[in-house]
Amino acid sequence: MIEWFAWAQVAVAVLGGLLCIGLGLLGRKPTDLSMGATALVELLLLAQLVVAIVAPFTGNNASGSLLEFYTYLVSAILVPVTAAIWALIERSRWSTVILGAACLAVAVMLYRMLQIWTVQGL
Amino acid sequence: MTGPQNDANVNTTEDAPTRRVTGVGRVLIAVYGILALAATGRSFVQIVSKFADAPLSYSLSALAAVVYIAATVALIRSGRGWYRVAWITIGFELLGVLTVGTLSLFDPSLFPHDSVWSVYGRGYLFIPLVLPLLGMWWLARRAPGRA
């Protein structure tokens, strides 16, 4: 994991999450904006997957359990996809809130992943 | 939901138009789904990598994960049977988080390894403590056959 990239990703996920929850509570149905924010979070997760696979070859090894790290990463990748499918099936304001909840959940999972990668086993 | 002989189904179609789960309840289900995923993931890692360290804690983790999945499914499905399952599983969660949370505070040696319910679900932003209460409130509001 590259630390600054992970932090940027957490920031995007938090902002995207707050944006979607805000839009949803204002009564907006899922739009390009809220779906786009969720898609961005997903895209960054896929980038993170590539980074996580490549990083050990450059000497950037996880300090904690790789099994735990990848369990978080794979779960996190599934979350925005599920929320987006939900939003496509049911176009209501609550689907927008759910998009936001998914982004915030990803943010928490990313933070845990960063902890596993950087500060465990020291 | 194909069998017309399913009487539980008939009961619930009286008051609810097409779907029973609407509005803010959907968010509740989504959050339950996320928590079920989190509990399952953690329990998977614990059991695969270090089950021998704390069989009791980790068995409890696995049980909690299964119960969260059951609660999520029960909230989605309609009918009296599932309504009862939802009450039982959510009640079990509340009992679990209160019991394990209290024990982990007063006698940390009992639960040396983190579980979803340690210190009232602190590792999960206290969501495990708040969620059953919201779930019960929501279940009480939409009791089938009670107007």
Side-chain angles (χ1 to χ4, degrees):
Chain A
M1 240 181 168
I2 302 165
E3 210 168 333
W4 67 262
F5 179 66
W7 278 115
Q9 209 179 350
V10 170
V12 168
V14 168
L15 289 177
L18 293 177
L19 174 75
C20 290
I21 288 178
L23 287 172
L25 293 180
L26 286 174
R28 307 286 173 81
K29 293 173 179 171
T31 58
D32 285 353
L33 180 61
S34 42
M35 288 294 267
T38 310
L40 180 64
V41 169
E42 177 71 15
L43 197 68
L44 289 174
L45 279 172
L46 294 176
Q48 185 61 252
L49 178 62
V50 176
V51 169
I53 291 169
V54 173
F57 294 106
T58 65
N60 179 359
N61 283 301
S63 65
S65 156
L66 266 188
L67 173 72
E68 198 174 356
F69 179 85
Y70 276 107
T71 303
Y72 268 104
L73 184 49
V74 171
S75 309
I77 286 172
L78 294 175
V79 168
V81 174
T82 311
I85 291 173
W86 192 329
L88 288 174
I89 293 173
E90 181 180 306
R91 303 194 53 76
S92 81
R93 57 190 299 190
W94 298 111
S95 295
T96 314
V97 175
I98 288 167
L99 287 176
C103 291
L104 290 184
V106 167
V108 173
M109 292 165 95
L110 278 167
Y111 178 68
R112 278 291 299 152
M113 282 155 59
L114 186 62
Q115 281 183 327
I116 292 165
W117 194 281
T118 56
V119 295
Q120 282 188 357
L122 292 180
Chain B
M1 293 299 148
T2 49
Q5 67 274 32
N6 184 348
D7 58 349
N9 210 14
V10 175
N11 276 335
T12 51
T13 46
E14 285 170 1
D15 47 338
T18 46
R19 293 194 207 91
R20 209 172 61 153
V21 185
T22 52
V24 73
R26 300 245 160 195
V27 180
L28 186 73
I29 290 172
V31 177
Y32 255 103
I34 291 171
L35 199 62
L37 179 71
T40 309
R42 167 165 277 192
S43 153
F44 165 76
V45 169
Q46 288 173 335
I47 286 175
V48 169
S49 64
K50 46 188 178 180
F51 184 72
D53 289 4
L56 179 65
S57 281
Y58 295 159
S59 303
L60 205 62
S61 269
L63 179 64
V66 171
V67 171
Y68 279 116
I69 294 171
T72 309
V73 173
L75 282 171
I76 295 171
R77 305 300 294 269
S78 57
R80 276 178 189 279
W82 284 111
Y83 182 78
R84 195 165 296 134
V85 172
W87 267 112
I88 293 169
T89 50
I90 292 176
F92 180 84
E93 284 163 22
L94 186 63
L95 195 69
V97 75
L98 291 177
T99 311
V100 175
T102 307
L103 286 176
S104 64
L105 274 185
F106 287 98
D107 192 356
S109 62
L110 273 177
F111 297 96
H113 300 265
D114 268 358
S115 77
V116 178
W117 291 331
S118 297
V119 198
Y120 304 114
R122 186 179 57 186
Y124 293 87
L125 308 172
F126 296 104
I127 291 171
L129 179 62
V130 178
L131 209 53
L133 298 173
L134 288 177
M136 285 175 163
W137 166 78
W138 194 66
L139 280 177
R141 277 190 52 194
R142 45 143 226 174
R146 247 174 277 162

